Amino acid sequence: MDDTDRHLLSLLRANARESAALLARKLELARTTVVARIARLERDGVIAGYGVRLGQQLEQAAVRAYCGLSVAPRMGAGVVRALERLPEVEEVSAVSGQYDYMVLLHCETNEQLDALLDRIGLIEGIRQTHTSVVLSRKVDRRSAVAPPER
C-alpha cells in the first residue's frame, strides 16, 4: 500500500459513495486507475466493506461514553457475546491495565445511557464498571485527510 492508496482510503472513509470520477480528480489519477486500485484493495481485504456515517446533526445530538469493564476470570467470552447483542455498543476492545475491556457506547439520550449501564451491570461475569461520558471530540480521523505532499 502506498501514499495514494492511503489517501484513497481516507477519501472513501469520508464518503464511500463518492464517484470514481470525483475520486480520480481529487487524486489526480485516471478514473480507471482509481477503479483498479479500489478493486485491488477489496480483493486484498484492505477494504472489507462499506458503511454509514451519521450526519453531523444526529452525531452531535448523540450521547457517547466509554465504559471500562472488569470481568471475572473465564467469563470474558460470555460477556462479549452479551455485549454484542446490545445495539448501543459500538466497539468492545480487550485492553491492558485496570480494566479487561473498554466499551464504546452510543445512545440518543442520557436516560437511555443510564438504562443501558444498568443492563450492562447485570451481565453475568461483570464485576465492576467505570463510565466516562464523552463531552466533545478533539480529533476525529474518520474524515478525509489532506493529500500527501508531493
Side-chain angles (χ1 to χ4, degrees):
M1 209 165 66
D2 61 14
D3 285 345
T4 302
D5 286 338
R6 283 187 276 284
H7 189 202
L8 174 58
L9 289 172
S10 72
L11 293 170
L12 288 171
R13 268 190 239 114
N15 182 3
R17 295 184 55 164
E18 195 148 62
S19 72
L22 189 54
L23 290 169
R25 274 194 292 271
K26 289 179 179 181
L27 294 168
E28 298 178 2
L29 297 171
R31 188 190 66 76
T32 54
T33 302
V34 169
V35 170
R37 280 179 179 262
I38 291 172
R40 178 180 44 79
L41 292 168
E42 290 172 343
R43 185 179 61 251
D44 292 348
V46 175
I47 296 175
Y50 299 89
V52 174
R53 278 189 51 200
L54 299 176
Q56 190 174 12
Q57 181 179 0
L58 190 57
E59 188 68 26
Q60 287 177 345
V63 177
R64 290 182 178 275
Y66 289 96
C67 186
L69 304 178
S70 293
V71 176
R74 296 183 299 280
M75 297 295 288
V79 167
V80 170
R81 280 193 302 275
L83 293 169
E84 284 176 330
R85 291 192 291 272
L86 300 173
E88 301 91 349
V89 172
E90 283 194 356
E91 181 179 320
V92 178
S93 299
V95 297
S96 63
Q98 181 177 359
Y99 301 105
D100 300 301
Y101 298 99
M102 287 300 292
V103 181
L104 177 58
L105 306 172
H106 182 264
C107 296
E108 293 178 18
T109 64
N110 287 321
E111 292 77 15
Q112 182 187 11
L113 175 61
D114 185 41
L116 176 62
L117 292 172
D118 288 343
R119 288 195 331 247
I120 290 172
L122 294 173
I123 295 172
E124 185 178 355
I126 293 182
R127 295 192 305 197
Q128 179 184 8
T129 66
H130 178 84
T131 304
S132 296
V133 175
V134 175
L135 301 176
S136 67
R137 283 196 182 134
K138 300 301 183 186
V139 176
D140 184 356
R141 297 201 192 281
R142 294 173 303 154
S143 59
V145 295
E149 291 188 26
R150 296 178 192 226

Short mmCIF file of all heavy atoms in Angstrom, two decimals, residues 94-142:
data_model
loop_
_atom_site.label_atom_id
_atom_site.label_comp_id
_atom_site.label_asym_id
_atom_site.label_seq_id
_atom_site.Cartn_x
_atom_site.Cartn_y
_atom_site.Cartn_z
N ALA A 94 -10.47 -5.47 24.09
CA ALA A 94 -9.72 -6.01 25.21
C ALA A 94 -8.53 -5.10 25.43
O ALA A 94 -7.84 -4.74 24.46
CB ALA A 94 -9.28 -7.44 24.91
N VAL A 95 -8.29 -4.71 26.68
CA VAL A 95 -7.23 -3.74 26.97
C VAL A 95 -6.38 -4.22 28.13
O VAL A 95 -6.78 -5.09 28.90
CB VAL A 95 -7.82 -2.34 27.28
CG1 VAL A 95 -8.54 -1.78 26.07
CG2 VAL A 95 -8.74 -2.38 28.49
N SER A 96 -5.21 -3.63 28.24
CA SER A 96 -4.35 -3.88 29.39
C SER A 96 -4.67 -2.81 30.43
O SER A 96 -5.26 -1.79 30.13
CB SER A 96 -2.88 -3.83 29.00
OG SER A 96 -2.56 -2.53 28.54
N GLY A 97 -4.26 -3.07 31.66
CA GLY A 97 -4.45 -2.07 32.70
C GLY A 97 -5.54 -2.45 33.68
O GLY A 97 -5.83 -3.62 33.92
N GLN A 98 -6.17 -1.44 34.22
CA GLN A 98 -7.15 -1.61 35.29
C GLN A 98 -8.38 -2.41 34.86
O GLN A 98 -8.96 -3.13 35.66
CB GLN A 98 -7.57 -0.23 35.80
CG GLN A 98 -8.56 -0.25 36.93
CD GLN A 98 -8.89 1.16 37.43
OE1 GLN A 98 -8.35 2.15 36.94
NE2 GLN A 98 -9.75 1.23 38.40
N TYR A 99 -8.78 -2.29 33.61
CA TYR A 99 -9.99 -2.96 33.12
C TYR A 99 -9.61 -4.05 32.13
O TYR A 99 -8.54 -4.04 31.54
CB TYR A 99 -10.94 -1.94 32.48
CG TYR A 99 -11.33 -0.87 33.47
CD1 TYR A 99 -10.79 0.40 33.40
CD2 TYR A 99 -12.21 -1.15 34.51
CE1 TYR A 99 -11.11 1.37 34.33
CE2 TYR A 99 -12.54 -0.19 35.44
CZ TYR A 99 -11.98 1.07 35.35
OH TYR A 99 -12.30 2.02 36.28
N ASP A 100 -10.54 -4.97 31.94
CA ASP A 100 -10.34 -6.04 30.97
C ASP A 100 -10.81 -5.62 29.58
O ASP A 100 -10.23 -6.02 28.57
CB ASP A 100 -11.10 -7.29 31.41
CG ASP A 100 -10.61 -7.79 32.76
OD1 ASP A 100 -9.41 -8.10 32.88
OD2 ASP A 100 -11.43 -7.85 33.70
N TYR A 101 -11.89 -4.83 29.53
CA TYR A 101 -12.48 -4.39 28.27
C TYR A 101 -12.84 -2.92 28.36
O TYR A 101 -13.24 -2.43 29.42
CB TYR A 101 -13.76 -5.18 27.94
CG TYR A 101 -13.53 -6.65 27.75
CD1 TYR A 101 -13.77 -7.56 28.78
CD2 TYR A 101 -13.05 -7.15 26.54
CE1 TYR A 101 -13.53 -8.90 28.61
CE2 TYR A 101 -12.81 -8.50 26.36
CZ TYR A 101 -13.06 -9.37 27.40
OH TYR A 101 -12.82 -10.71 27.23
N MET A 102 -12.72 -2.22 27.23
CA MET A 102 -13.26 -0.86 27.08
C MET A 102 -14.35 -0.96 26.04
O MET A 102 -14.15 -1.51 24.95
CB MET A 102 -12.19 0.14 26.64
CG MET A 102 -11.19 0.48 27.73
SD MET A 102 -11.90 1.21 29.21
CE MET A 102 -12.44 2.79 28.62
N VAL A 103 -15.50 -0.40 26.38
CA VAL A 103 -16.67 -0.49 25.52
C VAL A 103 -17.09 0.93 25.14
O VAL A 103 -17.25 1.78 26.01
CB VAL A 103 -17.83 -1.20 26.26
CG1 VAL A 103 -19.04 -1.34 25.36
CG2 VAL A 103 -17.38 -2.57 26.77
N LEU A 104 -17.23 1.17 23.84
CA LEU A 104 -17.73 2.46 23.37
C LEU A 104 -19.24 2.34 23.18
O LEU A 104 -19.72 1.47 22.46
CB LEU A 104 -17.06 2.85 22.04
CG LEU A 104 -17.54 4.15 21.40
CD1 LEU A 104 -17.36 5.35 22.34
CD2 LEU A 104 -16.82 4.39 20.09
N LEU A 105 -19.97 3.21 23.88
CA LEU A 105 -21.43 3.19 23.85
C LEU A 105 -21.95 4.41 23.11
O LEU A 105 -21.36 5.50 23.19
CB LEU A 105 -21.97 3.20 25.29
CG LEU A 105 -21.43 2.11 26.21
CD1 LEU A 105 -21.89 2.35 27.64
CD2 LEU A 105 -21.86 0.75 25.71
N HIS A 106 -23.07 4.24 22.42
CA HIS A 106 -23.69 5.32 21.64
C HIS A 106 -25.18 5.30 21.92
O HIS A 106 -25.87 4.36 21.56
CB HIS A 106 -23.40 5.08 20.16
CG HIS A 106 -23.94 6.14 19.27
ND1 HIS A 106 -25.15 6.03 18.62
CD2 HIS A 106 -23.44 7.34 18.91
CE1 HIS A 106 -25.36 7.12 17.90
NE2 HIS A 106 -24.33 7.92 18.06
N CYS A 107 -25.67 6.34 22.59
CA CYS A 107 -27.09 6.43 22.95
C CYS A 107 -27.67 7.75 22.45
O CYS A 107 -26.93 8.68 22.15
CB CYS A 107 -27.26 6.34 24.47
SG CYS A 107 -26.74 4.77 25.16
N GLU A 108 -28.99 7.81 22.42
CA GLU A 108 -29.65 9.04 21.97
C GLU A 108 -29.86 10.02 23.12
O GLU A 108 -29.89 11.23 22.89
CB GLU A 108 -30.98 8.70 21.31
CG GLU A 108 -30.79 7.96 20.00
CD GLU A 108 -32.12 7.59 19.35
OE1 GLU A 108 -33.16 8.18 19.70
OE2 GLU A 108 -32.11 6.69 18.51
N THR A 109 -30.01 9.52 24.34
CA THR A 109 -30.26 10.39 25.49
C THR A 109 -29.48 9.90 26.70
O THR A 109 -29.05 8.74 26.75
CB THR A 109 -31.76 10.39 25.87
OG1 THR A 109 -32.12 9.07 26.30
CG2 THR A 109 -32.64 10.83 24.69
N ASN A 110 -29.36 10.76 27.69
CA ASN A 110 -28.72 10.37 28.95
C ASN A 110 -29.53 9.28 29.64
O ASN A 110 -28.97 8.37 30.26
CB ASN A 110 -28.57 11.57 29.87
CG ASN A 110 -27.48 12.51 29.41
OD1 ASN A 110 -26.43 12.08 28.94
ND2 ASN A 110 -27.72 13.80 29.54
N GLU A 111 -30.85 9.36 29.52
CA GLU A 111 -31.71 8.35 30.14
C GLU A 111 -31.48 6.98 29.50
O GLU A 111 -31.44 5.96 30.19
CB GLU A 111 -33.18 8.76 30.02
CG GLU A 111 -33.56 9.97 30.85
CD GLU A 111 -33.11 11.31 30.27
OE1 GLU A 111 -32.74 11.37 29.07
OE2 GLU A 111 -33.09 12.29 31.03
N GLN A 112 -31.31 6.95 28.19
CA GLN A 112 -31.04 5.69 27.50
C GLN A 112 -29.68 5.14 27.95
O GLN A 112 -29.54 3.94 28.18
CB GLN A 112 -31.06 5.89 25.99
CG GLN A 112 -30.83 4.61 25.20
CD GLN A 112 -30.69 4.85 23.70
OE1 GLN A 112 -30.58 5.98 23.24
NE2 GLN A 112 -30.68 3.78 22.94
N LEU A 113 -28.70 6.01 28.11
CA LEU A 113 -27.38 5.58 28.60
C LEU A 113 -27.50 5.01 30.00
O LEU A 113 -26.92 3.96 30.31
CB LEU A 113 -26.39 6.74 28.57
CG LEU A 113 -25.00 6.46 29.15
CD1 LEU A 113 -24.31 5.34 28.39
CD2 LEU A 113 -24.16 7.73 29.17
N ASP A 114 -28.24 5.67 30.87
CA ASP A 114 -28.42 5.20 32.24
C ASP A 114 -29.03 3.80 32.26
O ASP A 114 -28.55 2.91 32.98
CB ASP A 114 -29.29 6.19 33.01
CG ASP A 114 -29.42 5.85 34.48
OD1 ASP A 114 -28.41 5.45 35.09
OD2 ASP A 114 -30.53 5.97 35.01
N ALA A 115 -30.07 3.59 31.47
CA ALA A 115 -30.72 2.27 31.41
C ALA A 115 -29.76 1.23 30.83
O ALA A 115 -29.72 0.08 31.30
CB ALA A 115 -31.99 2.36 30.57
N LEU A 116 -28.98 1.61 29.82
CA LEU A 116 -28.02 0.69 29.22
C LEU A 116 -26.96 0.28 30.24
O LEU A 116 -26.62 -0.90 30.34
CB LEU A 116 -27.36 1.34 28.00
CG LEU A 116 -26.25 0.54 27.32
CD1 LEU A 116 -26.79 -0.78 26.76
CD2 LEU A 116 -25.61 1.38 26.22
N LEU A 117 -26.46 1.22 31.01
CA LEU A 117 -25.46 0.90 32.02
C LEU A 117 -26.02 -0.05 33.07
O LEU A 117 -25.31 -0.94 33.56
CB LEU A 117 -24.92 2.18 32.66
CG LEU A 117 -24.09 3.07 31.73
CD1 LEU A 117 -23.78 4.40 32.39
CD2 LEU A 117 -22.83 2.36 31.27
N ASP A 118 -27.29 0.12 33.41
CA ASP A 118 -27.94 -0.82 34.34
C ASP A 118 -27.96 -2.22 33.74
O ASP A 118 -27.66 -3.21 34.41
CB ASP A 118 -29.36 -0.38 34.68
CG ASP A 118 -29.40 0.84 35.60
OD1 ASP A 118 -28.36 1.14 36.24
OD2 ASP A 118 -30.46 1.49 35.68
N ARG A 119 -28.30 -2.33 32.44
CA ARG A 119 -28.35 -3.64 31.77
C ARG A 119 -26.95 -4.26 31.71
O ARG A 119 -26.78 -5.45 31.93
CB ARG A 119 -28.93 -3.52 30.36
CG ARG A 119 -30.41 -3.26 30.36
CD ARG A 119 -31.10 -3.48 29.02
NE ARG A 119 -30.34 -3.29 27.83
CZ ARG A 119 -30.55 -2.31 26.94
NH1 ARG A 119 -31.52 -1.44 27.13
NH2 ARG A 119 -29.82 -2.22 25.87
N ILE A 120 -25.95 -3.43 31.39
CA ILE A 120 -24.58 -3.94 31.32
C ILE A 120 -24.14 -4.45 32.69
O ILE A 120 -23.52 -5.51 32.81
CB ILE A 120 -23.62 -2.86 30.77
CG1 ILE A 120 -23.89 -2.63 29.28
CG2 ILE A 120 -22.16 -3.25 31.01
CD1 ILE A 120 -23.14 -1.46 28.67
N GLY A 121 -24.47 -3.71 33.73
CA GLY A 121 -24.09 -4.12 35.08
C GLY A 121 -24.69 -5.45 35.51
O GLY A 121 -24.16 -6.12 36.39
N LEU A 122 -25.78 -5.85 34.88
CA LEU A 122 -26.45 -7.11 35.21
C LEU A 122 -25.90 -8.31 34.43
O LEU A 122 -26.29 -9.45 34.68
CB LEU A 122 -27.95 -6.99 34.97
CG LEU A 122 -28.70 -6.02 35.89
CD1 LEU A 122 -30.14 -5.86 35.45
CD2 LEU A 122 -28.60 -6.46 37.34
N ILE A 123 -25.01 -8.08 33.47
CA ILE A 123 -24.46 -9.17 32.67
C ILE A 123 -23.61 -10.06 33.58
O ILE A 123 -22.73 -9.58 34.31
CB ILE A 123 -23.62 -8.63 31.49
CG1 ILE A 123 -24.52 -7.88 30.50
CG2 ILE A 123 -22.87 -9.77 30.79
CD1 ILE A 123 -23.76 -7.15 29.40
N GLU A 124 -23.88 -11.34 33.51
CA GLU A 124 -23.14 -12.30 34.34
C GLU A 124 -21.66 -12.26 34.01
O GLU A 124 -21.27 -12.32 32.84
CB GLU A 124 -23.69 -13.71 34.12
CG GLU A 124 -23.05 -14.74 35.03
CD GLU A 124 -23.62 -16.13 34.83
OE1 GLU A 124 -24.57 -16.29 34.05
OE2 GLU A 124 -23.06 -17.05 35.46
N GLY A 125 -20.85 -12.12 35.03
CA GLY A 125 -19.40 -12.09 34.85
C GLY A 125 -18.80 -10.71 34.98
O GLY A 125 -17.58 -10.59 35.16
N ILE A 126 -19.59 -9.67 34.90
CA ILE A 126 -19.06 -8.32 35.07
C ILE A 126 -18.97 -8.02 36.56
O ILE A 126 -19.96 -8.09 37.28
CB ILE A 126 -19.92 -7.27 34.33
CG1 ILE A 126 -19.81 -7.49 32.82
CG2 ILE A 126 -19.46 -5.86 34.71
CD1 ILE A 126 -20.56 -6.49 31.99
N ARG A 127 -17.75 -7.70 37.01
CA ARG A 127 -17.54 -7.41 38.42
C ARG A 127 -17.62 -5.92 38.72
O ARG A 127 -18.06 -5.54 39.79
CB ARG A 127 -16.18 -7.94 38.87
CG ARG A 127 -16.09 -9.46 38.80
CD ARG A 127 -14.88 -9.99 39.50
NE ARG A 127 -13.64 -9.40 39.02
CZ ARG A 127 -12.44 -9.91 39.23
NH1 ARG A 127 -12.33 -11.01 39.93
NH2 ARG A 127 -11.37 -9.33 38.76
N GLN A 128 -17.15 -5.10 37.79
CA GLN A 128 -17.11 -3.66 38.05
C GLN A 128 -17.16 -2.91 36.72
O GLN A 128 -16.63 -3.39 35.71
CB GLN A 128 -15.82 -3.31 38.79
CG GLN A 128 -15.66 -1.85 39.09
CD GLN A 128 -14.32 -1.54 39.74
OE1 GLN A 128 -13.45 -2.40 39.83
NE2 GLN A 128 -14.14 -0.31 40.17
N THR A 129 -17.79 -1.75 36.74
CA THR A 129 -17.79 -0.88 35.56
C THR A 129 -17.34 0.51 35.99
O THR A 129 -17.48 0.91 37.14
CB THR A 129 -19.19 -0.76 34.92
OG1 THR A 129 -20.07 -0.09 35.83
CG2 THR A 129 -19.76 -2.12 34.55
N HIS A 130 -16.80 1.24 35.03
CA HIS A 130 -16.46 2.65 35.24
C HIS A 130 -16.74 3.35 33.92
O HIS A 130 -16.19 2.98 32.88
CB HIS A 130 -14.99 2.83 35.62
CG HIS A 130 -14.62 4.26 35.78
ND1 HIS A 130 -14.84 4.95 36.95
CD2 HIS A 130 -14.10 5.14 34.92
CE1 HIS A 130 -14.45 6.20 36.79
NE2 HIS A 130 -13.99 6.34 35.55
N THR A 131 -17.60 4.36 33.96
CA THR A 131 -18.05 5.02 32.74
C THR A 131 -17.60 6.47 32.69
O THR A 131 -17.70 7.19 33.69
CB THR A 131 -19.58 4.95 32.64
OG1 THR A 131 -19.98 3.58 32.71
CG2 THR A 131 -20.08 5.56 31.34
N SER A 132 -17.12 6.89 31.53
CA SER A 132 -16.79 8.29 31.27
C SER A 132 -17.59 8.73 30.05
O SER A 132 -17.48 8.13 28.98
CB SER A 132 -15.29 8.44 30.98
OG SER A 132 -14.53 8.09 32.12
N VAL A 133 -18.38 9.79 30.22
CA VAL A 133 -19.18 10.33 29.12
C VAL A 133 -18.31 11.24 28.28
O VAL A 133 -17.53 12.05 28.80
CB VAL A 133 -20.40 11.10 29.67
CG1 VAL A 133 -21.18 11.78 28.55
CG2 VAL A 133 -21.31 10.16 30.46
N VAL A 134 -18.40 11.10 26.97
CA VAL A 134 -17.64 11.93 26.04
C VAL A 134 -18.30 13.31 25.97
O VAL A 134 -19.49 13.42 25.67
CB VAL A 134 -17.60 11.29 24.63
CG1 VAL A 134 -16.92 12.22 23.64
CG2 VAL A 134 -16.92 9.94 24.68
N LEU A 135 -17.54 14.34 26.28
CA LEU A 135 -18.06 15.71 26.23
C LEU A 135 -17.92 16.30 24.83
O LEU A 135 -18.83 16.96 24.33
CB LEU A 135 -17.35 16.59 27.25
CG LEU A 135 -17.47 16.13 28.70
CD1 LEU A 135 -16.63 17.02 29.62
CD2 LEU A 135 -18.92 16.11 29.14
N SER A 136 -16.77 16.06 24.19
CA SER A 136 -16.57 16.51 22.81
C SER A 136 -15.39 15.76 22.23
O SER A 136 -14.54 15.26 22.96
CB SER A 136 -16.31 18.02 22.76
OG SER A 136 -15.06 18.33 23.35
N ARG A 137 -15.36 15.70 20.90
CA ARG A 137 -14.24 15.08 20.20
C ARG A 137 -13.26 16.18 19.83
O ARG A 137 -13.65 17.19 19.25
CB ARG A 137 -14.71 14.40 18.92
CG ARG A 137 -15.37 13.10 19.18
CD ARG A 137 -15.45 12.34 17.87
NE ARG A 137 -16.13 11.09 18.10
CZ ARG A 137 -17.08 10.62 17.33
NH1 ARG A 137 -17.45 11.28 16.26
NH2 ARG A 137 -17.64 9.47 17.61
N LYS A 138 -12.01 15.95 20.12
CA LYS A 138 -10.99 16.94 19.79
C LYS A 138 -10.27 16.58 18.49
O LYS A 138 -9.82 17.46 17.77
CB LYS A 138 -9.96 17.05 20.92
CG LYS A 138 -10.57 17.47 22.24
CD LYS A 138 -11.26 18.82 22.13
CE LYS A 138 -11.80 19.26 23.48
NZ LYS A 138 -12.58 20.47 23.39
N VAL A 139 -10.17 15.29 18.17
CA VAL A 139 -9.57 14.81 16.93
C VAL A 139 -10.46 13.70 16.40
O VAL A 139 -10.85 12.81 17.16
CB VAL A 139 -8.14 14.27 17.15
CG1 VAL A 139 -7.57 13.69 15.87
CG2 VAL A 139 -7.22 15.36 17.70
N ASP A 140 -10.82 13.76 15.14
CA ASP A 140 -11.62 12.71 14.51
C ASP A 140 -10.99 12.41 13.15
O ASP A 140 -11.17 13.17 12.21
CB ASP A 140 -13.07 13.17 14.36
CG ASP A 140 -13.97 12.09 13.78
OD1 ASP A 140 -13.48 11.00 13.42
OD2 ASP A 140 -15.18 12.34 13.68
N ARG A 141 -10.27 11.33 13.05
CA ARG A 141 -9.56 10.98 11.82
C ARG A 141 -10.42 10.18 10.86
O ARG A 141 -9.92 9.71 9.86
CB ARG A 141 -8.30 10.21 12.16
CG ARG A 141 -7.32 11.02 12.97
CD ARG A 141 -5.93 10.47 12.86
NE ARG A 141 -5.03 11.05 13.83
CZ ARG A 141 -4.46 12.24 13.70
NH1 ARG A 141 -4.71 12.97 12.66
NH2 ARG A 141 -3.65 12.68 14.63
N ARG A 142 -11.70 10.05 11.15
CA ARG A 142 -12.57 9.30 10.25
C ARG A 142 -12.94 10.12 9.02
O ARG A 142 -13.47 9.59 8.07
CB ARG A 142 -13.84 8.87 10.97
CG ARG A 142 -13.55 7.86 12.08
CD ARG A 142 -14.77 7.56 12.88
NE ARG A 142 -15.29 8.80 13.41
CZ ARG A 142 -16.56 9.01 13.73
NH1 ARG A 142 -17.43 8.06 13.59
NH2 ARG A 142 -16.94 10.17 14.21
#
